Amino acid sequence: MPHDPYKALYIHLPFCKHRCAYCDFTTRAIAPDSVEIDEYIDNLILELRRKAKEGELAEIETVYLGGGTPSFVGQARLSKLLYALGVSMNLTPEVECSMEANPDSLTPELIRDVYALGVNRLSIGVQSFDDGLLRTLDRIHDSARAKQAVLDARERFENVSVDLMCGVPGQTPEMFEADVQTAVDLGVTHVSVYPLTIEDHTPFRRMVDSGEIDDVDQDKEALMMSMAPNVLTPAGFHRYEVASYAREGFECKHNIAYWTGVPYLGLGISAVTMTQNDARRMRVQDGEVQDDLDRKQMRAEDLMMKMRMTRGVSDDELFAAAVVIPGALDVFNSLVRDKLVKREDGRWKPTFGGWLLGNELYGRIYELAP
């Protein structure tokens, strides 16, 4: 279908040194010298060149290299991929170019090379700075390595994010708060806080089922999520999404694109492409259509996704949606009555209680156009 230009580009690198016990992403452990990685990178480069010739990269504003562990594939391969990216699109400093990395494979040399080739934001998968919790999570780095990786990254990068996890078996609220404080002390500009989810078909699920580890305590997890601002707000961070905190100007533009209905192109195995025009939105993964939304469903989804963010939706956005979905205003008024949403300064914003009851908040909005 004729579609609006893509504004965001996601490149998936599905390789890791080790697959963690909680992980259900499309990724797998592989030998670092495997020819399969080289073949995969070569195919990505061919696809980049093809999309560039088709004009699909002309208006890209954000790029995200995710995985897996992009840093695991090494300097030479990343340099080759990033060089191809740079000649395929207008990779200026104004384009946010993020790359995920794990502490065990993030070296000063790799940091130097990817920075020189256009990456300007690093997202480091720390999960915790507590050695005991790292062992529980089946991570292959320790706390000292995680801290050094952040310090090394900051030698070149101003924009450094860390992922932290809460709700880990054996983790206390005080341990989580200490992890957040350590991230602040290391000078990061962005923190993502993820509640642990025990996914089916993972070693963690089998360990829970066998009684080897405790299942997630959702009340304790919610408590930890609520504690993060206690450390981050005084340190100059603001919460801009349910799980994301940033210093001013360091919000992740790529993720905001996902939450605000911006068309995006995905390259690599399992990467999702979202194509849309005014009347239709489609998501395609590995050649198969995952979503096919009409105009009403698009508007409902946009309202729902924007409620992940602290700024929520404006009066104008809601009134425009209500033209297409007549029941939208009634639903939002009911969400205010139920204290899942608050209305202030001409905007409809999620409350913390709304986030905690996210399934209800998002479900009632999405039901406007099932």
Side-chain angles (χ1 to χ4, degrees), residues 72-115:
F72 166 70
V73 306
Q75 286 167 255
R77 294 180 181 119
L78 280 174
S79 295
K80 186 177 177 181
L81 177 61
L82 288 166
Y83 177 78
L85 178 66
V87 299
S88 298
M89 61 168 283
N90 195 24
L91 193 59
T92 65
E94 289 71 39
V95 173
E96 179 190 84
C97 184
S98 301
M99 188 186 87
E100 291 182 344
N102 275 348
D104 60 282
S105 53
L106 192 61
T107 65
E109 295 77 18
L110 186 145
I111 290 166
R112 178 197 64 210
D113 285 0
V114 300
Y115 180 80

Side-chain angles (χ1 to χ4, degrees), residues 205-235:
R205 169 51 61 196
R206 293 191 290 274
M207 292 163 74
V208 167
D209 291 345
S210 68
E212 191 176 340
I213 61 172
D214 293 332
D215 204 346
V216 171
D217 182 331
Q218 293 188 333
D219 289 339
K220 190 180 288 186
E221 211 168 52
L223 172 62
M224 293 185 202
M225 290 286 283
S226 72
M227 290 172 67
N230 298 345
V231 176
L232 291 167
T233 303

